[in-house]
Amino acid sequence: MNNPNSHKYDDIIHLPHHISQKHPKMPPLNRAAQFSPFAALTGYDDAIRETERLTDPFTELDEDKKELLDKQLQLIRENLAHRPEIEFTYFQPDSRKNGGTYAVVCGRVKKIDEYERRIIFTDGTALLMKHIRSISGELFRTMDESNI
């Protein structure tokens, strides 16, 4: 029957390791990748980070602030030929969730597009008028607020 000193794999245990003639040997880095952690919930971490990301709410302007902005935009229209350098604080809506951020853009105004209701700068940047929160620049510093 079976020899008590023999083991199940004695006939193959001392054979050399098989090397395929067809397939190239896998690099160690790729072999290690087989054992990397598996993410069963793909995108879950991204969703959590997105939920944690804070946005600012859009605030409506009061009538006095709207009137001031209208007067400032009119002054810009009157001085477009000089390409005034203006700084706008504006609301930038978030593309993924409610709210957004308040940002500042500074540049020379090329055109005010009344149809699309946007400010166009000489570098091609466009800013929607409905998102403007405040306007400043040298054009307004020479006047006091009662004249604007």
Side-chain angles (χ1 to χ4, degrees):
M1 293 190 102
N2 286 345
N3 182 352
N5 292 334
S6 74
H7 290 66
K8 187 175 178 180
Y9 298 107
D10 278 350
D11 59 334
I12 62 170
I13 196 75
H14 297 293
L15 292 177
H17 178 74
H18 172 74
I19 298 174
S20 173
Q21 300 298 316
K22 265 176 140 175
H23 303 287
K25 187 174 179 179
M26 184 184 285
L29 186 61
N30 291 353
R31 288 176 54 89
Q34 295 181 84
F35 304 103
S36 63
F38 171 68
L41 298 174
T42 305
Y44 180 73
D45 290 336
D46 293 337
I48 294 297
R49 276 192 294 281
E50 181 62 25
T51 303
E52 290 173 340
R53 192 171 56 84
L54 299 177
T55 58
D56 295 320
F58 178 78
T59 55
E60 284 293 327
L61 297 175
D62 62 25
E63 290 304 315
D64 291 337
K65 187 67 175 173
K66 287 179 184 179
E67 186 178 329
L68 176 63
L69 290 177
D70 285 342
K71 289 178 181 179
Q72 289 176 314
L73 287 171
Q74 183 58 40
L75 191 57
I76 294 170
R77 279 183 200 90
E78 293 168 3
N79 288 279
L80 277 177
H82 300 94
R83 302 278 192 247
E85 186 163 348
I86 307 294
E87 182 177 286
F88 293 90
T89 301
Y90 67 100
F91 182 77
Q92 186 174 12
D94 194 289
S95 61
R96 294 189 181 141
K97 60 199 285 189
N98 287 336
T101 58
Y102 287 91
V104 175
V105 64
C106 186
R108 297 205 173 274
V109 178
K110 176 181 179 181
K111 177 181 173 183
I112 296 181
D113 182 346
E114 298 295 341
Y115 182 73
E116 297 284 333
R117 305 272 311 141
R118 57 191 185 144
I119 309 291
I120 301 171
F121 295 90
T122 55
D123 68 359
T125 303
L127 178 62
L128 291 174
M129 285 189 226
K130 68 180 181 180
H131 292 157
I132 296 172
R133 308 325 294 152
S134 68
I135 304 172
S136 61
E138 192 62 38
L139 183 62
F140 310 111
R141 289 189 186 110
T142 58
M143 307 173 72
D144 66 30
E145 283 201 341
S146 62
N147 292 335
I148 295 178

